[in-house]
Amino acid sequence: MWQQAAQDIHWYRAPNVVLDDANPPFYRWFPDGVTNACYNALDLHVAQGRGDQLALLYDSPVTDSKAQYTYAQLLHEVARFAGVLAALGVEVGDRVLIYMPMVPEAAIAMLACARIGAIHSVVFGGFASHELAVRIDDATPRVIVAASCGVEPSRIVPYKPLLDEALAEARHAPEHCIILQRAQYPADLIAGRDHDWARLMANAQTVDCVQLNANDPLYILYTSGTTGQPKGVVRDTGGSIVALRWSMKHIYNVAAGDVYWAASDVGWVVGHSYIVYGPLFACCTTVMYEGKPVGTPDPGAFWRMIAEHRVSVMFAAPTALRAIRKEDPAGEHLAKYDLSRLQSLFLAGERCDPATLAWAQDKLRVPVIDHWWQTETGWPICANCLGIEQLPVVPGSPARPVPGYEVHALDAQSEAVAPGAIGALVLKSPLPPGTFTTLWNAPERFRDAYFTRFPGYYETGDAGYIDDNGYVFVMARTDDVINVAGHRLSTGAMEEVLADDPDVAECAVVGVADAIKGQLPLGLLVLSSGALGSPADVVARSIEKVRKRIGPVAAFKLCTVVRRLPKTRSGKILRGTMRKIADGEAWTMPATIDDPAVLQEIAGALGELGYPVPANGSGHAESR
Ligand code: COA
Ligand code: AMP
């Protein structure tokens, strides 16, 4: 299958070997192929006579601006920015860190890196300076490309001061920073280090694509793990082109000329795969939207975009639909627009709850497809592949494994569980092309975190079940990762921030259910005996610290002080029980708890935060 799929892309030298499996789990797809991702995204289509087709549409309700680029125009911009980078000394294998909002220049910078073989690492704009510093130190970029600011509906976010703070904290110093000056908040530039994007572009020479080995890294994208040290997911060049090109046709069922819109952000994997690379590899028109599903200006924003830009296939997160549904349950805004070109809506980032699915089906009258994937895989693991055969939609399931993936639900002994029984969801090795090939600077962590617990399998970190019809149901994470508004966050990282306070003796962060965002982090603090601050002060300080160190995207606003954390007698914090109490679910007093009164107190504290104390929450000890 992959040998054939590889024939759909451009190679300078076609691969003779499809898979090198000599060193598991470090599999290498198409190891002797030579190609270039930028060539496949742009030059190829221009060479094939599609230069005048629209490649990228930019629509920004928050700045009240729009722009569009044909393939020929986008190629010209990318080739010039590649010239800018090359002139600053960027070479094959150098890292370039990109910290930008949803503006076309972010895609231009990514593609320019791919053009010259530099490895880009995009950092989401909603992360704060400390997270940026951690990524700068890990990726050690030669150049950083940033915008002067991002524009959120309620405020301007000055990115440049965040970058300056991050560089003050980081051990590594890039040689150059290139700053895209935005009119909303131009930045002060530091002479010698900072350069103005527009000035450099005005004098730039275009440069051609560099021929790269298929296994040369295309990018690093950091994602949350169980600790404060994010994982640098590495994607290679050849496998990514083959897999993404294949997925556009077989999963999303789009062809050259179709308008494909993923309402995500370039800082996330969806943005890499399905705002920038996938649609361009497939010669579609891709859409960059700098706005929100609601409030920019109203809950009809998505529907306006679909109608105005003639979108055939859309990709969004369920949380976005929940936000729209809350404000416009009857679909009155939706009724104002002509959505007749829309063929399907794909959802991912979190499980699509059946109520949201039913609402979207009812209002849109097109297939609404939940599909499951992760930063690590880079493209869908399970989906209803509309380009192959449309399966019946089963609410709550992202359908069956996509060709190339073999999914199993296993118990702790690596034995398959019965159909319908919950197990750890694992994927048989080797993973298909386009999935991650290692973790940057951390090959042992790659092996240990993903391939050790279940020998021969990749551990997804998700738990769920597979039914009698082979439909997969992804129900929960097995680790400390939570999903807030479709964003993957580490509770461990938040705990590290909270613990870094002399007044905090101990803390725990758990993910609790939220009607719009899916989950929200809830912090529980135990104060030190000699704490100087009052509980209210420590809570306020903690909320501010998480926002400052991790970023507003963590949406860390629920926090309270408790006398003790509930623990088993062996010292394990009972996070699951606390989550159940907060979610109003039935819970029983764990038999192994060391101090039963603590959970009752926590239920009371949560009640004060506005959480319902469940009727049966009085709890009683399980019989032993
Ligand atoms: N730069 C700077 N700050 C950002 C940011 C960015 N790129 N993106 C988000 N933020 C900030 C927001 O301003 C907000 O700050 P606040 O606490 O001061 O209000 C905070 O981070 C949380 O943002 P967000 O998650 O967008 O929440 P919201 O309450 O503003 O909007 C939704 C709620 C549901 C509308 C929104 O989360 C959404 O559209 N989610 C879809 C997510 C998505 O597409 N995920 C991709 C996975 S496929
Ligand atoms: P990320 O790496 O940020 O894309 O987050 C990946 C995680 O989000 C997965 O491991 C799941 O926990 C969750 N996720 C993504 N898509 C789905 C889905 N369709 N159904 C259930 N969970 C999902």
Side-chain angles (χ1 to χ4, degrees):
M1 171 185 162
W2 294 118
Q3 189 167 20
Q4 204 184 343
Q7 289 171 12
D8 286 344
I9 78 155
H10 172 271
W11 298 96
Y12 299 108
R13 189 176 73 218
N16 289 314
V17 178
V18 177
L19 175 66
D20 171 0
D21 57 3
N23 183 25
F26 300 92
Y27 296 95
R28 300 191 315 146
W29 287 94
F30 317 115
D32 58 343
V34 177
T35 185
N36 182 290
C38 183
Y39 189 91
N40 276 277
L42 301 175
D43 303 61
L44 177 65
H45 310 312
V46 174
Q48 291 179 343
R50 285 186 165 267
D52 292 337
Q53 186 198 305
L54 284 175
L56 190 151
L57 299 171
Y58 165 64
D59 189 311
S60 169
V62 290
T63 59
D64 195 21
S65 54
K66 294 178 192 175
Q68 59 183 43
Y69 297 76
T70 63
Y71 269 93
Q73 288 167 334
L74 190 59
L75 171 57
H76 185 64
E77 295 298 302
V78 167
R80 280 204 305 159
F81 195 65
V84 166
L85 293 174
L88 292 179
V90 176
E91 294 176 354
V92 174
D94 283 344
R95 274 79 56 215
V96 173
L97 189 138
I98 300 172
Y99 186 55
M100 296 182 103
M102 283 291 287
V103 290
E105 287 81 358
I108 290 169
M110 291 163 74
L111 290 160
C113 289
R115 193 168 188 82
I116 58 171
I119 304 167
H120 61 70
S121 186
V122 183
V123 178
F124 177 61
F127 282 123
S129 53
H130 170 72
E131 291 293 314
L132 186 55
V134 169
R135 287 155 175 79
I136 291 170
D137 278 338
D138 197 64
T140 58
R142 187 156 204 172
V143 169
I144 294 182
V145 185
S148 60
C149 69
V151 183
E152 285 291 290
S154 56
R155 66 202 155 98
I156 305 276
V157 183
Y159 279 23
K160 178 61 170 33
L162 291 172
L163 173 62
D164 289 340
E165 272 175 41
L167 288 173
E169 180 183 333
R171 289 184 307 278
H172 173 79
E175 288 165 30
H176 306 278
C177 295
I178 304 174
I179 309 297
L180 177 75
Q181 294 282 25
R182 301 190 81 190
Q184 293 77 11
Y185 197 97
D188 294 333
L189 302 187
I190 295 174
R193 186 196 75 185
D194 298 343
H195 310 267
D196 179 282
W197 169 294
R199 275 206 173 172
L200 293 180
M201 281 292 262
N203 303 315
Q205 305 289 315
T206 60
V207 299
D208 230 331
C209 291
V210 171
Q211 300 195 10
L212 297 167
N213 292 324
N215 300 132
D216 283 345
L218 174 61
Y219 67 77
I220 306 166
L221 178 59
Y222 289 92
T223 190
S224 299
T226 48
T227 67
Q229 181 62 33
K231 297 165 166 173
V233 161
V234 178
R235 195 97 55 218
D236 76 358
T237 301
S240 299
I241 309 170
V242 172
L244 292 177
R245 179 90 174 76
W246 184 93
S247 72
M248 292 304 293
K249 181 171 171 203
H250 295 91
I251 299 180
Y252 301 102
N253 197 23
V254 286
D258 287 341
V259 182
Y260 178 97
W261 174 32
S264 179
D265 189 287
V266 281
W268 305 114
V269 67
V270 179
H272 284 62
S273 295
Y274 294 115
I275 296 176
V276 180
Y277 288 111
L280 297 179
F281 290 152
C283 198
C284 293
T285 301
T286 190
V287 183
M288 289 186 84
Y289 174 64
E290 192 180 23
K292 301 266 175 175
V294 293
T296 56
D298 57 38
F302 275 14
W303 321 130
R304 182 214 28 109
M305 288 285 294
I306 293 173
E308 185 175 329
H309 300 302
R310 303 159 70 86
V311 172
S312 329
V313 174
M314 181 181 182
F315 182 151
T319 185
L321 291 193
R322 288 196 296 270
I324 296 171
R325 180 181 169 211
K326 181 169 175 240
E327 292 197 12
D328 183 23
E332 283 164 17
H333 285 270
L334 187 143
K336 292 186 209 157
Y337 297 99
D338 172 8
L339 305 185
S340 56
R341 293 186 72 91
L342 185 71
Q343 291 166 14
S344 54
L345 169 65
F346 282 80
L347 299 173
E350 56 176 323
R351 177 170 184 262
C352 181
D353 53 288
T356 303
L357 178 80
W359 181 82
Q361 286 171 324
D362 177 52
K363 296 290 173 273
L364 293 169
R365 306 258 158 217
V366 295
V368 179
I369 306 298
D370 181 11
H371 61 332
W372 169 50
W373 51 298
Q374 318 181 295
T375 305
E376 288 84 345
T377 65
W379 61 286
I381 305 165
C382 281
N384 202 327
C385 295
L386 295 190
I388 300 177
E389 176 200 13
Q390 188 177 338
L391 302 170
V393 170
V394 175
S397 169
R400 295 199 186 123
V402 170
Y405 290 98
E406 198 182 304
V407 183
H408 297 272
L410 303 184
D411 65 16
Q413 284 70 45
S414 292
E415 298 292 335
V417 298
I422 297 261
L425 293 174
V426 299
L427 312 178
K428 184 126 181 54
S429 282
L431 295 176
T435 53
F436 68 155
T437 50
T438 189
L439 292 177
W440 185 253
N441 285 337
E444 316 75 31
R445 193 176 179 195
F446 173 76
R447 187 197 297 269
D448 296 347
Y450 297 104
F451 295 95
T452 304
R453 191 170 320 167
F454 300 100
Y457 297 95
Y458 160 81
E459 185 182 355
T460 63
D462 285 319
Y465 63 94
I466 306 176
D467 75 6
D468 287 325
N469 296 318
Y471 276 61
V472 176
F473 291 75
V474 185
M475 305 308 290
R477 290 288 302 190
T478 56
D479 56 14
D480 296 339
V481 165
I482 58 171
N483 200 315
V484 179
H487 308 315
R488 173 169 158 182
L489 297 164
S490 160
T491 54
M494 292 183 220
E495 287 175 3
E496 282 175 28
V497 175
L498 298 177
D500 183 22
D501 186 319
D503 283 357
V504 173
E506 234 188 340
C507 63
V509 175
V510 291
V512 297
D514 179 76
I516 300 294
K517 295 198 175 189
Q519 280 186 302
L520 279 178
L522 162 70
L524 298 162
L525 310 176
V526 178
L527 298 193
S528 321
S529 48
L532 297 176
S534 71
D537 286 346
V538 182
V539 163
R541 189 161 80 209
S542 298
I543 290 175
E544 189 50 35
K545 262 172 66 182
V546 174
R547 187 178 174 91
K548 189 116 190 21
R549 283 175 67 98
I550 295 184
V553 71
F556 182 80
K557 292 175 184 172
L558 294 169
C559 185
T560 190
V561 169
V562 293
R563 186 175 54 89
R564 284 190 59 192
L565 292 176
K567 291 187 188 164
T568 61
R569 281 185 215 109
S570 57
K572 197 165 171 280
I573 298 175
L574 290 158
R575 290 161 206 278
T577 314
M578 287 194 282
R579 187 192 54 71
K580 280 189 181 162
I581 295 175
D583 290 353
E585 288 177 22
W587 59 281
T588 42
M589 187 66 73
T592 51
I593 193 163
D594 62 348
D595 180 354
V598 171
L599 273 177
Q600 304 293 359
E601 283 170 32
I602 286 180
L606 292 176
E608 278 169 31
L609 277 181
Y611 279 85
V613 181
N616 53 349
S618 55
H620 41 247
E622 285 165 355
S623 57
R624 302 174 66 194

